[in-house]
Amino acid sequence: MTYWALNAWFLAVVAVVALLAVVRLDRRRASGPRSTGLTAGTWLLAVGGGLVVLLLMTALFDNIMIGIGLVGYDPALISGAFIGIAPLEDFAYAIAAAVLLPSLWVLLERRTPAPVSPSPSQEDPA
């Protein structure tokens, strides 16, 4: 199995989880004016910004690790496309992490009930 085939499985799962997170955020926004906080648009912007930073760091440190011989790849299993000396396939892991972790954060968010204001009969007359 090539690295791209292995990456395709992981990235497909990540894409489904990310789609579920965006749908949940969109539904939360559509639930009414009481909903506040993160929207699907701001979430996508934040994930995109984090992804850019993570890809730049991956490019730097993967090239260093491969250059000093810490990591190696079977030439028969890579596409031959490189960023520096790092195979392009190696960046799929950074993409998966940058998208999957925020997606899980949204999906596993603890739901707390909205605060209930006291009714007039429950207020203290003093």
Side-chain angles (χ1 to χ4, degrees), residues 3-4 7 62-63 66 73-92:
Y3 292 112
W4 275 125
N7 290 342
D62 280 7
N63 276 286
I66 294 167
Y73 293 92
D74 183 351
L77 300 177
I78 59 175
S79 65
F82 296 91
I83 295 178
I85 57 174
L88 198 56
E89 293 92 323
D90 203 29
F91 291 84

Side-chain angles (χ1 to χ4, degrees), residues 63-111:
N63 276 286
I64 291 170
M65 290 189 302
I66 294 167
I68 63 173
L70 187 62
V71 178
Y73 293 92
D74 183 351
L77 300 177
I78 59 175
S79 65
F82 296 91
I83 295 178
I85 57 174
L88 198 56
E89 293 92 323
D90 203 29
F91 291 84
Y93 306 110
I95 294 168
V99 175
L100 183 62
L101 292 176
S103 300
L104 290 174
W105 184 275
V106 167
L107 293 173
L108 299 176
E109 178 182 39
R110 195 173 99 204
R111 296 180 184 175

Side-chain angles (χ1 to χ4, degrees), residues 47-72:
V47 169
L51 180 59
V52 167
V53 171
L54 191 55
L55 287 174
L56 290 172
M57 292 176 64
T58 299
L60 174 67
F61 291 109
D62 280 7
N63 276 286
I64 291 170
M65 290 189 302
I66 294 167
I68 63 173
L70 187 62
V71 178

